[in-house]
Every structure is written in C-alpha cells, then in structure tokens.
C-alpha cells in the first residue's frame, strides 16, 4: 500500500529519528531537515500560515533536503493553484449562464478539480509529513519500515503505531 504509516506522539515529545536519510535511506546523513508544520484545522489546505508551529529535525542528506523542500512547496500550494486556475477559467466562462446556476457550477467544477489533487496526495504521500493536533502529533512515513523504526525508538515516549 502506498499510503503512509503513522506514529502518534504527544505534541510536546521530542522524538528520536533513525539515523538515516528520510529521502533516500542513506545511513548517517550528517544533516537534518528542519520540518515545521502548524496545527491543522479545516482551512489548513488553503491557509497554511495560521496555527501554532511544531518543528522537528529529521535526518536528511543535503541533496534530498533540497528535493524534499521543493516537493513540499509544490504539494502545499497545489490546492491554491488548482483553485485559482479553476476560478480563472470558470468564472469568465460562466458570464452568460443563468445566475442561479453560476455558483453550483463553479463549486462543482472546483470540487471536481480538487478531488483528484487530494486523492493523489493521499495515494502518493511524501516520505515524511506531520499532522499537528491539539495534544498529539502524527508522524507520517511513506516507508513503513522507517515508521516502525521510528516507533521502536520512541516507544518510551508513548509512541503509537497506526498502520
Ligand atoms: Zn538522502
């Protein structure tokens, strides 16, 4: 299954990571990727700059860090891009349409565009991600072995593995 394997930890826990690159799996990468995410709410798909910041240092080699940062930026802005693109195309095209129908059509097309973007993100998760809740943080790994190793290292902190 390409879906992520998640490990849940209390939000204030400072977890240990296996000493290998989160991107390519190389041992002792010697550098880290400072991974920050804000507490999630329903609007987090669109508004990513509100909410308390949670930061972890994830072992990562330098080339992977540059690649993963780029991918994260693209993924993070894909909803905004898709929304802007749909509205830019759809709104002018709806000029002649009955006003009562304009909103449902625009909304329908928007959902039809965002659904595959969301589906893609769920089916092809990034190597590492976090979901920050009120009291807990989900550490999400595309590689289930990495998740299991991470879980084993942090069991003493109350880590729970969900797969
Ligand atoms: Zn790497």
């Amino acid at each position: 299954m390409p879906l992520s394997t998640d490990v849940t930890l209390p939000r204030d826990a400072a977890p240990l990571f296996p000493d290998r690159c989160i991107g390519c799996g190389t041992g002792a990468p010697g550098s880290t990727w400072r991974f920050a995410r804000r507490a999630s709410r329903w609007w987090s798909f669109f508004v990513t700059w509100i909410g308390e910041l949670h930061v972890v240092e994830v072992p990562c080699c330098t080339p992977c860090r540059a690649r993963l940062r780029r991918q994260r930026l693209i993924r993070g802005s894909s909803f905004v891009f898709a929304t802007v693109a749909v509205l830019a195309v759809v709104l002018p095209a709806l000029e002649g349409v009955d006003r009562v129908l304009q909103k449902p059509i625009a909304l329908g097309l928007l959902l039809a565009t965002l659904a595959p973007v969301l589906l893609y993100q769920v089916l092809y998760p990034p190597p590492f991600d976090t979901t920050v809740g009120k009291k807990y943080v989900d550490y999400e790994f595309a590689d289930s072995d990495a998740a299991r190793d991470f879980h084993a290292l942090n069991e003493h902190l109350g880590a729970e593995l969900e797969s």
Side-chain angles (χ1 to χ4, degrees), residues 21-26 29 60-65 67:
C21 174
I22 195 73
C24 62
T26 300
C60 188
C61 72
T62 316
C64 283
R65 186 170 57 203
R67 178 172 58 86

Side-chain angles (χ1 to χ4, degrees), residues 97-158:
V97 177
D98 191 336
R99 289 189 73 85
V100 182
L101 293 174
Q102 281 182 357
K103 266 189 195 165
I105 291 174
L107 197 63
L109 287 171
L110 189 60
L111 291 178
T113 308
L114 294 184
V117 176
L118 182 64
L119 191 67
Y120 175 86
Q121 300 212 1
V122 171
L123 289 179
Y124 301 97
F128 178 76
D129 204 349
T130 59
T131 300
V132 182
K134 273 194 176 141
K135 289 189 176 159
Y136 294 92
V137 175
D138 287 335
Y139 296 81
E140 301 156 10
F141 298 84
D143 176 18
S144 61
D145 289 340
R148 261 178 270 282
D149 291 349
F150 177 80
H151 173 246
L153 276 176
N154 296 290
E155 259 188 308
H156 66 287
L157 297 173

Side-chain angles (χ1 to χ4, degrees), residues 7-151:
V7 178
T8 306
L9 272 167
R11 193 162 136 181
D12 54 7
L16 298 169
F17 284 83
D19 191 20
R20 58 175 192 260
C21 174
I22 195 73
C24 62
T26 300
S31 57
T32 58
W33 176 22
R34 192 180 150 84
F35 189 95
R37 199 174 269 301
R38 293 184 185 278
S40 300
R41 299 288 185 274
W42 62 267
W43 63 75
S44 300
F45 281 125
F46 298 96
V47 182
T48 54
W49 55 89
I50 296 173
E52 312 90 296
L53 201 62
H54 177 265
V55 181
V56 276
E57 299 280 348
V58 188
C60 188
C61 72
T62 316
C64 283
R65 186 170 57 203
R67 178 172 58 86
L68 294 176
R69 272 190 181 149
R70 206 163 48 235
Q71 285 176 1
R72 193 180 171 208
L73 189 69
I74 295 169
R75 277 176 173 270
S77 40
S78 59
F79 278 91
V80 176
F81 275 131
T83 304
V84 170
V86 168
L87 295 182
V89 172
V90 168
L91 291 185
L94 289 177
E95 283 282 303
V97 177
D98 191 336
R99 289 189 73 85
V100 182
L101 293 174
Q102 281 182 357
K103 266 189 195 165
I105 291 174
L107 197 63
L109 287 171
L110 189 60
L111 291 178
T113 308
L114 294 184
V117 176
L118 182 64
L119 191 67
Y120 175 86
Q121 300 212 1
V122 171
L123 289 179
Y124 301 97
F128 178 76
D129 204 349
T130 59
T131 300
V132 182
K134 273 194 176 141
K135 289 189 176 159
Y136 294 92
V137 175
D138 287 335
Y139 296 81
E140 301 156 10
F141 298 84
D143 176 18
S144 61
D145 289 340
R148 261 178 270 282
D149 291 349
F150 177 80
H151 173 246

